[in-house]
Amino acid sequence: MTIETTGNYDLPLDVQKILVDARAQVDVNRLHEAYAWARTHNPVGYARPEGFEPFWVLTKHADISAISRDNERFHNGDKSVTCRPKASVEHIVATTGCPHIVRGLPHIDGEEHKSLRSLTQAWFMPNSIQKLDARFRKFASAAVEKLALANGQSVDFAADVALHYPLHVIMDILGIPPEDEPRMLTLTQEMFSPEDPELRRQKKPAPSSQADMGKALMAVVADFEQYFKSVIADRHQNPRNDVATLLSNAVLNGKPLTDAQLLAYFLIIATAGHDTTSSSASVAMWALTQHPELLSRLQADPSLIAQFVDETIRIASPVRHFMRTAMEDTEIRGRTIRKGDWMMLCYPSANRDEEVFEKPYDFNIERKPNRHLAFGIGGHVCLGQHLAKMEIRILFEELIPRLKSVELSGPMDMTASFFIAGPKHLPVRCVMQ
Ligand code: HEM
């Protein structure tokens, strides 16, 4: 990459561009080159890409960690929590009255956030989700069976296996029947990867402007709303032992949740929980193809699978960023961040920070503790982090004893997105025993 600096605090234009260019981010090596440049030369850099409100770019583990833990001085809700073009944000504000499509956990702060989060926090803790082990194992062994049926033939692990297994899990905990999974999958992909021509709103032409992209997103939310309204009505009548029932009947300050709060909660859980996890599962499979010695190590000592999963999630870092807004003037590494400034937290960069990880580009399951920030940290740390790790661990606990060998049978292809990204296609040939 040619790095041309523009002076001041600005990041080089090539680096600025790649941060908001979904297509350019398909080349992960180029993206990591840009992060590495920023970490080394300008770790609190400024970006003003065309069409976007300017923002600070944070690339060091220590800074991202400190900002994420300081939920008083750095808010989620005041501006968009994902880096969206101005026109798209304007459309959202005009439609919803705030910079968010819905106001769910990632979009709110303070006591309101704490009390809403506390409704489901305990449900997602390891000792609680442990009871789901046997159910998840059934989904995982069905996924492994797909590979066994294709024994020795090429299979697209990302599209045919990794995409569906986390979807079964998340739909199961929300109590959504299997026949509705394809609809949920399409909705999530349209929501998180609107720039990817393969994944955006099907059979409709590409949005021609950022404002149209905003409109397309609002249409996706309207679809979700319609769907979840019927789920909520059903759980009022027929309570079950699932998260949908927990939320539909939840009481906050003596009152049930409003329709808007419920929709936002459902939407965040339904969407946050599968593309992220399926990307990580695909990277785990990719790692097995790149490091053939790993398979025999994990077969000899399956207790290492949990560390293998953690390292996979560090390397995958499927969430490329979340944004924060400064609530007061503050100084970071000698730079003055003004009240109201928008800040991009680059998790994949934190997870390659040489000051925290020895040989950060190496895939090394020995890292213990593995202090990666792929799930964020602080008050907004991923609600589903234990669920995600458990489901990927179970998938590989089911797969690894049956796998004799695995190799790539074609090139890996990444999603074009600068928010949530990972392998979209991963052709592999598995020989099963
Ligand atoms: C938030 C990553 C899986 C639900 C987040 C955040 C990240 C993240 C980076 C923002 C943290 C912050 O702002 O500090 C991931 C990754 C996953 C994953 C890498 C898989 C490997 C899941 C799953 C669920 C989930 C399975 C299902 C429940 C959420 C929710 C939030 C969140 C509800 C918002 C939390 C809040 O703002 O209080 N996740 N996530 N995620 N995630 Fe995940």
Side-chain angles (χ1 to χ4, degrees):
M1 185 191 302
T2 5
I3 304 283
E4 276 176 45
T5 48
T6 52
N8 308 322
Y9 298 155
D10 286 10
L11 285 164
L13 292 177
D14 308 29
V15 174
Q16 294 190 27
K17 234 168 121 189
I18 201 168
L19 293 171
V20 295
D21 184 343
R23 285 176 183 281
Q25 290 206 15
V26 167
D27 183 347
V28 183
N29 291 335
R30 241 183 98 200
L31 176 65
H32 277 291
E33 250 182 73
Y35 286 142
W37 191 95
R39 272 197 313 277
T40 312
H41 303 285
N42 193 358
V44 186
Y46 205 56
R48 36 180 125 225
E50 205 187 323
F52 288 77
E53 175 181 333
F55 52 89
W56 293 97
V57 180
L58 285 300
T59 43
K60 292 291 286 179
H61 188 286
D63 299 338
I64 294 172
S65 183
I67 293 165
S68 303
R69 287 170 186 277
D70 193 343
N71 303 113
E72 299 271 304
R73 283 200 304 159
F74 302 102
H75 270 192
N76 282 41
D78 295 57
K79 292 192 173 172
S80 178
V81 284
T82 60
C83 188
R84 286 185 196 286
K86 257 192 215 159
S88 160
V89 177
E90 277 160 14
H91 179 78
I92 293 168
V93 173
T95 316
T96 66
C98 74
H100 318 295
I101 297 172
V102 292
R103 280 185 80 248
L105 291 180
H107 317 101
I108 51 183
D109 299 282
E111 284 311 311
E112 188 190 1
H113 171 257
K114 279 195 195 118
S115 51
L116 269 175
R117 186 166 165 132
S118 69
L119 295 174
T120 53
Q121 175 85 56
W123 199 95
F124 283 101
M125 292 311 277
N127 56 357
S128 160
I129 54 175
Q130 187 49 38
K131 62 178 183 286
L132 301 170
D133 185 287
R135 286 180 82 86
F136 292 0
R137 229 166 260 284
K138 242 176 41 198
F139 296 139
S141 69
V144 171
E145 209 45 51
K146 259 193 187 173
L147 294 173
L149 280 173
N151 195 6
Q153 310 282 315
S154 182
V155 175
D156 187 340
F157 184 79
D160 297 337
V161 179
L163 194 61
H164 300 283
Y165 165 68
L167 184 67
H168 292 323
V169 169
I170 209 78
M171 294 299 118
D172 191 57
I173 67 163
L174 280 176
I176 290 168
E179 61 271 20
D180 290 339
E181 286 180 11
R183 183 168 175 198
M184 287 292 125
L185 179 62
T186 314
L187 287 176
T188 313
Q189 291 182 326
E190 286 170 345
M191 180 128 183
F192 283 163
S193 316
E195 299 92 355
D196 193 308
E198 236 183 284
L199 306 179
R200 72 175 154 247
R201 220 164 165 68
Q202 288 183 346
K203 298 187 195 76
K204 299 208 172 157
S208 56
S209 69
Q210 289 302 340
D212 286 349
M213 192 91 95
K215 277 185 207 154
L217 265 174
M218 297 307 300
V220 176
V221 174
D223 285 354
F224 267 113
E225 187 166 10
Q226 204 188 1
Y227 184 83
F228 285 125
K229 269 193 171 157
S230 63
V231 175
I232 294 162
D234 177 67
R235 293 313 190 278
H236 285 149
Q237 298 301 320
N238 311 300
R240 295 191 219 161
N241 189 14
D242 58 24
V243 176
T245 304
L246 178 71
L247 285 171
S248 304
N249 297 292
V251 175
L252 195 63
N253 305 324
K255 291 189 208 138
L257 299 191
T258 62
D259 284 354
Q261 282 172 321
L262 275 171
L263 167 70
Y265 225 128
F266 272 94
L267 191 102
I268 299 302
I269 292 180
T271 53
H274 60 91
D275 271 12
T276 46
T277 313
S278 60
S279 292
S280 306
S282 289
V283 171
M285 191 59 144
W286 170 84
L288 290 177
T289 67
Q290 301 304 297
H291 307 281
E293 75 292 351
L294 259 179
L295 179 58
S296 45
R297 271 195 78 193
L298 298 173
Q299 280 171 333
D301 183 359
S303 73
L304 289 173
I305 294 176
Q307 282 165 239
F308 164 69
V309 169
D310 233 2
E311 178 65 348
T312 286
I313 295 172
R314 179 185 77 89
I315 289 288
S317 294
V319 180
R320 297 266 162 90
H321 73 269
F322 260 105
M323 307 298 284
R324 294 290 192 269
T325 303
M327 299 316 290
E328 56 186 67
D329 289 1
T330 182
E331 198 165 292
I332 306 177
R333 293 184 196 262
R335 303 273 155 91
T336 304
I337 313 282
R338 297 279 173 210
K339 180 177 176 188
D341 281 0
W342 210 25
M343 308 160 82
M344 177 185 261
L345 310 183
C346 300
Y347 305 112
S349 173
N351 291 343
R352 301 289 193 286
D353 190 333
E354 303 73 1
E355 282 191 88
V356 177
F357 302 100
E358 210 184 310
K359 299 195 179 160
Y361 296 89
D362 287 3
F363 189 94
N364 174 7
I365 64 169
E366 300 297 334
R367 301 181 199 276
K368 208 178 171 188
N370 195 329
R371 296 177 48 221
H372 69 74
L373 297 182
F375 293 112
I377 197 165
H380 284 275
V381 67
C382 176
L383 181 71
Q385 61 171 323
H386 305 296
L387 178 71
K389 286 197 271 193
M390 174 177 160
E391 57 182 294
I392 303 172
R393 173 176 54 74
I394 288 176
L395 177 63
F396 283 87
E397 281 172 355
E398 293 297 311
L399 172 65
I400 279 169
R402 296 189 59 187
L403 194 58
K404 230 179 186 168
S405 67
V406 55
E407 59 180 18
L408 284 180
S409 52
M412 176 164 78
D413 185 16
M414 304 289 284
T415 325
S417 169
F418 61 94
F419 177 38
I420 294 188
K424 183 166 63 168
H425 298 294
L426 181 69
V428 292
R429 192 171 294 111
C430 294
V431 177
M432 308 291 281
Q433 46 197 4

